[in-house]
Amino acid sequence: LSSQVLSTQPSTALDVWVRLLRSHAAITRAFNRDLIAQHGLTVNDYEVLLLLSRAEDCRMRRVDLAEQVLLTASGITRLLDGLQRAGFVEKGTCASDARVTYAVLTEAGHKKVAEASESHLEAVRTLFEERCTSEELDTLAELLGRLPGAGGADPEACTVPQR
Amino acid sequence: LSSQVLSTQPSTALDVWVRLLRSHAAITRAFNRDLIAQHGLTVNDYEVLLLLSRAEDCRMRRVDLAEQVLLTASGITRLLDGLQRAGFVEKGTCASDARVTYAVLTEAGHKKVAEASESHLEAVRTLFEERCTSEELDTLAELLGRLPGAGGADPEACTVPQR
DNA sequence: CAAGATTGAAATCTCAATCTTT
DNA sequence: AAAGATTGAGATTTCAATCTTG
């Protein structure tokens, strides 16, 4: 019925893409379950709190936060709504440009990232280091870094600064 | 304020995880936008149609489909609801076990995967092959394959069979 | 008009509960 | 009781439209 166009040889690219989809789904689901159960945070919540905790003065513009977490402008607004209601984040204004709103980590927010990091960072390390050697992880990081979405990724600074 | 627990050295594992998150978000968003604009399908819709087109008699149990795409039981029900309304999939019954329902690809469904594959498989190949050599893609596939969610992944058979 | 931020509406997915069949 | 499938309720996210400020 339909043409020969589809009879391409097994494509490694497609295989990579399917595996990326599957591993992301599986890992995200597991981490989400644990983070929500133990700390009431989603993976994205945690990621945002972690970024804030590493930022200058624990504050970031909402636009920049959105770009880092790969959420839309409205996505970040809604995520921050939740973190504000929980008391982990506050709004801050910008003196030089009244359009921009900052997201500022509160004291409670700091405590929360610290708590959550204690179990979560360990879980992340375990999951990956159980399956790959240190060299393999370097390779994986390098290759993933070439894919879209890598812009602005900060290879250093993957720790939570203490106050 | 909070302890030293968090002052761990920059972790490659965390870096890999963040990059996996970001690349997945960026690529999924791009592919979703294109697939929806051009064919009215989400990435998951397409993935399900592709699996069905490769399956024996173009039919699969809903449970198995869910496992392959990493959706919950209810997730697959709802996704298939949409594909059924669009006429790409039909329900099939099982003679030997009245509990199971099959998802069966229709003629229209077959045409749809073929159409969508024409542009989408090319897009997938381009995206990955522009950034990685063939050997690097093999490495990437192998390493991603060790992560959770790889169970049941079929390394071969990544082509669309023609009728 | 651009950029930053927000809101309403809609889509997708999960969890918990339920129903049917084994 | 366990497996397959579905439903209602809720969470997360996106798109389009809107508002404010530069």
Side-chain angles (χ1 to χ4, degrees), chain A residues 53-93:
Chain A
S53 75
R54 301 202 282 106
E56 277 246 337
D57 296 328
C58 293
R59 55 166 51 212
M60 287 178 74
R61 302 193 311 161
R62 296 162 105 81
V63 202
D64 298 331
L65 219 31
E67 192 197 322
Q68 288 284 320
V69 193
L70 265 306
L71 279 180
T72 59
S74 78
I76 202 67
T77 292
R78 283 168 164 132
L79 189 151
L80 288 173
D81 280 349
L83 294 179
Q84 281 161 203
R85 273 195 304 275
F88 301 145
V89 162
E90 284 173 350
K91 281 192 179 184
T93 57

Side-chain angles (χ1 to χ4, degrees), chain B residues 90-139:
Chain B
E90 284 173 350
K91 281 192 177 183
T93 57
C94 179
S96 58
D97 188 337
R99 287 175 305 181
V100 329
T101 314
Y102 281 93
V104 188
L105 200 60
T106 63
E107 191 63 32
H110 237 287
K111 253 176 84 179
K112 196 66 178 179
V113 214
E115 277 174 27
S117 293
E118 213 160 328
S119 57
H120 184 56
L121 293 182
E122 186 55 33
V124 172
R125 246 178 258 122
T126 301
L127 187 145
F128 287 95
E129 291 175 359
E130 259 179 2
R131 293 169 166 82
C132 300
T133 67
S134 172
E135 291 77 22
E136 286 167 342
L137 287 180
D138 287 342
T139 304

Side-chain angles (χ1 to χ4, degrees), chain A residues 86-103:
Chain A
F88 301 145
V89 162
E90 284 173 350
K91 281 192 179 184
T93 57
C94 179
S96 57
D97 187 339
R99 289 175 304 181
V100 328
T101 316
Y102 281 92

Side-chain angles (χ1 to χ4, degrees), chain A residues 4 6-8 14 18-20 22-24 29 47 68 70 117 131 136 141 146 148-149 151 159 162, chain B residues 4 6-8 19-20 22-24 29 47 68 70 117 125 131 136 141 146 148-149 151 158-159 162:
Chain A
Q4 281 291 96
L6 305 169
S7 63
T8 51
L14 183 54
V18 170
R19 287 175 191 225
L20 182 58
R22 293 174 59 94
S23 56
H24 171 270
R29 194 183 293 177
E47 220 72 33
Q68 288 284 320
L70 265 306
S117 292
R131 293 169 166 83
E136 288 167 341
R146 298 196 207 161
T159 59
Q162 46 266 232
Chain B
Q4 282 290 97
L6 306 170
S7 64
T8 51
R19 288 173 189 228
L20 183 57
R22 292 174 59 94
S23 55
H24 171 270
R29 194 181 294 176
E47 219 72 34
Q68 287 284 320
L70 266 304
S117 293
R125 246 178 258 122
R131 293 169 166 82
E136 286 167 342
R146 297 195 207 162
C158 282
T159 60
Q162 46 267 230

Side-chain angles (χ1 to χ4, degrees), chain B residues 22-102:
Chain B
R22 292 174 59 94
S23 55
H24 171 270
I27 301 175
T28 296
R29 194 181 294 176
F31 282 160
N32 260 325
R33 177 171 36 230
D34 293 352
L35 274 175
I36 290 174
Q38 297 173 25
H39 307 285
L41 298 174
T42 66
V43 165
N44 270 351
D45 288 335
Y46 175 78
E47 219 72 34
V48 163
L49 292 180
L50 188 62
L51 283 169
L52 286 176
S53 75
R54 301 203 283 104
E56 277 246 337
D57 296 328
C58 293
R59 55 166 52 212
M60 286 179 74
R61 302 193 312 161
R62 295 162 104 82
V63 203
D64 298 331
L65 220 30
E67 193 198 323
Q68 287 284 320
V69 192
L70 266 304
L71 281 180
T72 59
S74 77
I76 202 66
T77 292
R78 280 166 167 135
L79 188 151
L80 287 173
D81 280 348
L83 294 180
Q84 282 161 202
R85 271 195 306 276
F88 300 145
V89 162
E90 284 173 350
K91 281 192 177 183
T93 57
C94 179
S96 58
D97 188 337
R99 287 175 305 181
V100 329
T101 314
Y102 281 93

